[in-house]
Amino acid sequence: MTRRPPEPVQVVKQRRDAALTALADRVPYIAFLGIRFDRRGDELTALLPFRDELIGNPFLPAIHGGVTAAFLEVTAIISLSYVWLWEDVESGALKLEDLEAGTLPRLPKTIDFTVDYLRSGLPRDAYARARVTRSGRRYASVQAEAWQDNRDRPMAQATAHFLMPRPDG
């Protein structure tokens, strides 16, 4: 059996970036909120740039709780989808041309989502990361947390459960 030579690292990085872009572009609300993702290897960090429109309580001022929840849910579902597609992206089973055209399997569907608000979101940028705690063929569980200036002082955390898409579509 002959092994394929490894692909150049730039080709693999292009495929990773294309997969992330294709995932994020499938959810219009991500663009509406202005959420961006920073990828380092297989780790994603979501960024919610501050805008005045995100303020829910102008007297504090504080980021609206719905924005915080949406930010965490988007982070959880994109992170889960990215982990779920990782092997196909790495192996080349998902072709760069298909990724750039936005051709991807369906996204997981939210079963339930619980947010713990730990402190007010201040009028500044927010960051979030998610960790897949269980991923099976039919069901996945994800924990996410959002913070602003200090990751050790999260402003909110969430637990989410998702129904995974069937492989046959």
Side-chain angles (χ1 to χ4, degrees), residues 49-99:
F50 175 74
R51 298 187 331 257
D52 284 334
E53 298 84 33
L54 302 179
I55 295 292
N57 184 342
F59 296 107
L60 291 178
I63 294 176
H64 192 284
V67 171
T68 301
F71 180 45
L72 285 166
E73 186 172 11
V74 161
T75 301
I77 200 164
I78 295 299
S79 297
L80 172 60
S81 298
Y82 195 70
V83 166
W84 187 56
L85 294 174
W86 182 259
E87 284 184 30
D88 289 341
V89 169
E90 290 299 294
S91 70
L94 285 172
K95 303 288 180 224
L96 182 59
E97 307 80 49
D98 294 338
L99 292 170

Coordinates of all heavy atoms in Angstrom, one line a residue, residues 49-99:
P49 N -17.6 42.3 17.9 CA -17.2 43.7 18.1 C -18.3 44.5 18.6 O -19.4 44.4 18.2 CB -16.8 44.1 16.6 CG -16.8 42.8 15.8 CD -17.7 41.8 16.6
F50 N -17.9 45.4 19.6 CA -18.9 46.3 20.2 C -19.5 47.3 19.2 O -18.7 47.9 18.4 CB -18.4 47.0 21.4 CG -19.4 48.0 21.9 CD1 -20.4 47.5 22.7 CD2 -19.3 49.3 21.7 CE1 -21.4 48.4 23.2 CE2 -20.2 50.2 22.2 CZ -21.3 49.7 22.9
R51 N -20.8 47.5 19.2 CA -21.5 48.5 18.5 C -22.6 49.0 19.4 O -23.1 48.3 20.3 CB -22.2 48.0 17.2 CG -21.2 47.5 16.2 CD -21.9 47.1 14.9 NE -23.3 46.7 14.9 CZ -23.7 45.5 14.9 NH1 -22.9 44.5 14.7 NH2 -25.0 45.2 14.9
D52 N -22.9 50.3 19.3 CA -24.0 50.9 20.2 C -25.3 50.2 20.1 O -26.1 50.1 21.1 CB -24.2 52.4 19.9 CG -23.1 53.2 20.4 OD1 -22.4 52.8 21.4 OD2 -22.8 54.3 19.8
E53 N -25.6 49.6 18.9 CA -26.9 48.9 18.7 C -27.0 47.6 19.6 O -28.1 47.1 19.7 CB -27.0 48.5 17.2 CG -27.1 49.6 16.3 CD -25.7 50.1 15.8 OE1 -24.8 49.2 15.8 OE2 -25.5 51.3 15.6
L54 N -25.9 47.2 20.1 CA -25.9 45.9 21.0 C -26.4 46.2 22.4 O -26.6 45.3 23.2 CB -24.6 45.2 20.9 CG -24.0 44.9 19.6 CD1 -22.6 44.2 19.7 CD2 -25.0 44.0 18.8
I55 N -26.4 47.5 22.8 CA -26.8 47.8 24.2 C -28.3 47.6 24.4 O -29.1 48.0 23.6 CB -26.5 49.3 24.4 CG1 -25.0 49.6 24.3 CG2 -27.0 49.8 25.7 CD1 -24.2 48.9 25.4
G56 N -28.5 46.9 25.5 CA -29.9 46.6 25.9 C -30.4 47.6 27.0 O -31.5 48.1 27.0
N57 N -29.5 47.9 27.9 CA -29.8 48.8 29.0 C -28.9 50.0 28.9 O -27.7 49.9 29.3 CB -29.7 48.1 30.4 CG -30.1 49.0 31.5 OD1 -30.2 50.2 31.4 ND2 -30.3 48.4 32.7
P58 N -29.4 51.1 28.4 CA -28.5 52.3 28.2 C -28.1 53.0 29.5 O -27.1 53.7 29.6 CB -29.3 53.3 27.4 CG -30.7 52.8 27.5 CD -30.7 51.4 27.9
F59 N -28.8 52.6 30.6 CA -28.5 53.3 31.9 C -27.2 52.6 32.6 O -26.5 53.3 33.3 CB -29.6 53.2 32.9 CG -30.8 54.0 32.4 CD1 -31.9 53.3 31.9 CD2 -30.8 55.3 32.4 CE1 -33.0 54.0 31.4 CE2 -31.9 56.1 31.9 CZ -33.0 55.4 31.4
L60 N -26.9 51.4 32.2 CA -25.7 50.7 32.8 C -24.4 51.2 32.1 O -23.5 51.5 32.8 CB -25.9 49.2 32.8 CG -26.9 48.7 33.7 CD1 -27.0 47.1 33.6 CD2 -26.6 49.0 35.2
P61 N -24.2 51.2 30.9 CA -24.8 50.5 29.8 C -24.4 49.0 29.8 O -23.3 48.7 30.2 CB -24.3 51.3 28.6 CG -23.0 51.8 29.0 CD -23.1 52.0 30.5
A62 N -25.2 48.2 29.2 CA -24.9 46.7 29.2 C -25.4 46.1 27.9 O -26.4 46.5 27.3 CB -25.6 46.0 30.3
I63 N -24.6 45.2 27.4 CA -25.0 44.5 26.1 C -26.3 43.7 26.4 O -26.4 43.1 27.5 CB -23.9 43.5 25.7 CG1 -22.6 44.3 25.3 CG2 -24.3 42.6 24.6 CD1 -21.4 43.5 24.9
H64 N -27.2 43.7 25.5 CA -28.5 43.1 25.6 C -28.3 41.6 25.9 O -27.4 40.9 25.2 CB -29.3 43.3 24.3 CG -30.7 42.9 24.5 ND1 -31.1 41.6 24.5 CD2 -31.8 43.6 24.7 CE1 -32.5 41.5 24.6 NE2 -32.9 42.8 24.7
G65 N -29.1 41.0 26.8 CA -29.0 39.6 27.1 C -29.2 38.7 25.9 O -28.6 37.6 25.8
G66 N -30.1 39.1 25.0 CA -30.4 38.3 23.8 C -29.2 38.3 22.9 O -29.0 37.2 22.2
V67 N -28.5 39.4 22.8 CA -27.3 39.4 22.0 C -26.2 38.4 22.6 O -25.6 37.7 21.9 CB -26.7 40.8 21.9 CG1 -25.3 40.8 21.2 CG2 -27.7 41.7 21.1
T68 N -26.1 38.5 23.9 CA -25.1 37.6 24.6 C -25.5 36.1 24.4 O -24.6 35.3 24.0 CB -25.1 37.9 26.1 OG1 -24.7 39.3 26.3 CG2 -24.1 37.0 26.8
A69 N -26.8 35.8 24.5 CA -27.2 34.4 24.3 C -27.0 34.0 22.8 O -26.5 32.9 22.6 CB -28.7 34.3 24.7
A70 N -27.3 34.9 21.9 CA -27.1 34.5 20.5 C -25.6 34.3 20.2 O -25.3 33.4 19.4 CB -27.7 35.7 19.6
F71 N -24.8 35.2 20.8 CA -23.4 35.1 20.6 C -22.9 33.7 21.0 O -22.1 33.0 20.4 CB -22.7 36.2 21.3 CG -21.2 36.3 21.2 CD1 -20.5 36.1 20.0 CD2 -20.4 36.5 22.3 CE1 -19.1 36.1 19.9 CE2 -19.0 36.6 22.3 CZ -18.4 36.4 21.1
L72 N -23.3 33.3 22.2 CA -22.9 32.0 22.8 C -23.5 30.8 21.9 O -22.8 29.9 21.6 CB -23.4 31.8 24.2 CG -22.6 32.6 25.2 CD1 -23.3 32.7 26.6 CD2 -21.2 32.0 25.4
E73 N -24.7 30.9 21.5 CA -25.3 29.9 20.7 C -24.6 29.7 19.3 O -24.3 28.6 18.8 CB -26.8 30.1 20.5 CG -27.4 28.9 19.7 CD -29.0 29.0 19.7 OE1 -29.5 30.0 20.0 OE2 -29.5 27.9 19.3
V74 N -24.3 30.9 18.7 CA -23.6 30.9 17.4 C -22.2 30.3 17.6 O -21.8 29.4 16.8 CB -23.5 32.3 16.8 CG1 -22.4 32.4 15.8 CG2 -24.8 32.7 16.3
T75 N -21.5 30.6 18.7 CA -20.2 30.1 19.0 C -20.3 28.6 19.1 O -19.5 27.8 18.6 CB -19.6 30.7 20.2 OG1 -19.5 32.2 20.0 CG2 -18.2 30.2 20.5
A76 N -21.3 28.1 19.9 CA -21.4 26.7 20.1 C -21.7 25.9 18.8 O -21.1 24.9 18.6 CB -22.6 26.4 21.1
I77 N -22.6 26.4 18.0 CA -23.0 25.6 16.8 C -21.9 25.7 15.7 O -21.6 24.7 15.1 CB -24.4 26.1 16.2 CG1 -25.0 25.0 15.3 CG2 -24.3 27.4 15.5 CD1 -26.4 25.2 15.1
I78 N -21.2 26.8 15.6 CA -20.1 26.8 14.6 C -18.9 26.0 15.1 O -18.3 25.3 14.3 CB -19.7 28.3 14.3 CG1 -20.9 29.1 13.7 CG2 -18.5 28.4 13.5 CD1 -21.3 28.5 12.3
S79 N -18.6 26.1 16.4 CA -17.6 25.2 16.9 C -17.9 23.8 16.8 O -17.0 23.0 16.4 CB -17.3 25.6 18.4 OG -16.9 26.9 18.5
L80 N -19.1 23.4 17.1 CA -19.5 22.0 17.0 C -19.4 21.5 15.5 O -18.9 20.5 15.2 CB -20.9 21.8 17.5 CG -21.5 20.4 17.2 CD1 -20.7 19.3 17.9 CD2 -23.0 20.4 17.7
S81 N -19.9 22.3 14.6 CA -19.9 22.0 13.2 C -18.4 21.9 12.7 O -18.1 21.0 11.9 CB -20.6 23.0 12.4 OG -22.0 23.1 12.8
Y82 N -17.6 22.8 13.2 CA -16.2 22.8 12.7 C -15.5 21.5 13.2 O -14.8 20.8 12.5 CB -15.5 24.0 13.3 CG -14.1 24.3 12.6 CD1 -14.1 24.7 11.3 CD2 -12.9 24.1 13.3 CE1 -12.9 25.0 10.7 CE2 -11.7 24.4 12.7 CZ -11.7 24.8 11.4 OH -10.5 25.1 10.8
V83 N -15.8 21.1 14.5 CA -15.2 19.8 15.0 C -15.7 18.6 14.2 O -15.0 17.7 13.9 CB -15.5 19.7 16.5 CG1 -15.3 18.3 17.0 CG2 -14.7 20.7 17.3
W84 N -17.0 18.7 13.9 CA -17.7 17.6 13.2 C -17.1 17.4 11.8 O -17.0 16.3 11.3 CB -19.2 17.9 13.2 CG -20.1 16.8 12.7 CD1 -20.2 15.5 13.1 CD2 -21.0 17.0 11.6 NE1 -21.1 14.9 12.4 CE2 -21.6 15.7 11.4 CE3 -21.4 18.0 10.8 CZ2 -22.6 15.5 10.5 CZ3 -22.3 17.8 9.8 CH2 -22.9 16.6 9.7
L85 N -16.8 18.5 11.2 CA -16.2 18.5 9.8 C -14.7 18.3 9.7 O -14.1 18.1 8.7 CB -16.6 19.7 9.0 CG -18.1 20.0 8.8 CD1 -18.3 21.3 8.1 CD2 -18.6 18.9 7.9
W86 N -14.0 18.4 10.9 CA -12.6 18.4 10.9 C -11.9 17.3 10.1 O -11.0 17.6 9.3 CB -12.1 18.4 12.4 CG -10.6 18.5 12.5 CD1 -9.7 17.5 12.8 CD2 -9.8 19.7 12.4 NE1 -8.5 18.0 12.9 CE2 -8.5 19.4 12.6 CE3 -10.1 21.1 12.2 CZ2 -7.4 20.3 12.6 CZ3 -9.1 22.0 12.1 CH2 -7.8 21.6 12.3
E87 N -12.3 16.1 10.4 CA -11.6 15.0 9.7 C -11.8 15.1 8.1 O -10.9 14.8 7.4 CB -12.2 13.6 10.2 CG -11.6 13.3 11.5 CD -12.1 11.9 12.0 OE1 -12.4 11.0 11.1 OE2 -12.2 11.7 13.2
D88 N -13.0 15.4 7.7 CA -13.2 15.6 6.2 C -12.4 16.8 5.7 O -11.9 16.7 4.5 CB -14.7 15.8 5.9 CG -15.5 14.5 6.2 OD1 -14.9 13.4 6.2 OD2 -16.7 14.6 6.3
V89 N -12.3 17.8 6.4 CA -11.5 19.0 6.0 C -10.0 18.6 5.9 O -9.3 18.9 4.9 CB -11.7 20.2 6.9 CG1 -10.7 21.3 6.6 CG2 -13.1 20.7 6.8
E90 N -9.5 17.9 7.0 CA -8.1 17.6 7.0 C -7.8 16.5 6.0 O -6.7 16.6 5.4 CB -7.8 17.0 8.4 CG -7.8 18.0 9.5 CD -6.8 19.1 9.3 OE1 -5.6 18.9 9.3 OE2 -7.2 20.3 9.0
S91 N -8.6 15.6 5.7 CA -8.3 14.5 4.8 C -8.5 14.9 3.3 O -8.0 14.3 2.4 CB -9.2 13.3 5.0 OG -10.6 13.6 4.6
G92 N -9.2 16.0 3.1 CA -9.4 16.5 1.7 C -10.7 15.9 1.2 O -11.0 16.1 0.0
A93 N -11.5 15.2 2.0 CA -12.8 14.6 1.5 C -13.7 15.8 1.2 O -14.5 15.6 0.3 CB -13.4 13.7 2.6
L94 N -13.6 16.9 1.9 CA -14.3 18.1 1.5 C -13.3 18.9 0.6 O -12.3 19.4 1.1 CB -14.7 18.9 2.7 CG -15.9 18.4 3.5 CD1 -16.1 19.2 4.7 CD2 -17.2 18.5 2.6
K95 N -13.7 19.1 -0.6 CA -12.8 19.8 -1.6 C -12.8 21.3 -1.4 O -13.9 21.8 -1.1 CB -13.2 19.4 -3.0 CG -13.1 17.9 -3.3 CD -11.7 17.4 -3.4 CE -11.7 15.9 -3.6 NZ -10.8 15.2 -2.8
L96 N -11.7 21.9 -1.6 CA -11.6 23.4 -1.5 C -12.7 24.1 -2.4 O -13.3 25.0 -1.9 CB -10.2 23.9 -1.8 CG -9.9 25.4 -1.7 CD1 -10.2 25.8 -0.2 CD2 -8.5 25.7 -2.1
E97 N -12.8 23.6 -3.6 CA -13.8 24.3 -4.5 C -15.2 24.2 -3.9 O -16.0 25.1 -4.0 CB -13.8 23.6 -5.9 CG -12.4 23.5 -6.5 CD -11.6 22.3 -6.0 OE1 -12.1 21.2 -5.9 OE2 -10.4 22.6 -5.7
D98 N -15.6 23.0 -3.3 CA -16.9 22.9 -2.8 C -17.1 23.8 -1.5 O -18.1 24.4 -1.4 CB -17.1 21.4 -2.3 CG -17.2 20.5 -3.5 OD1 -17.5 21.0 -4.7 OD2 -17.0 19.3 -3.3
L99 N -16.0 23.9 -0.7 CA -16.1 24.7 0.5 C -16.3 26.2 0.1 O -17.0 26.9 0.6 CB -14.8 24.6 1.3 CG -14.7 23.2 2.0 CD1 -13.3 23.1 2.6 CD2 -15.7 23.0 3.0

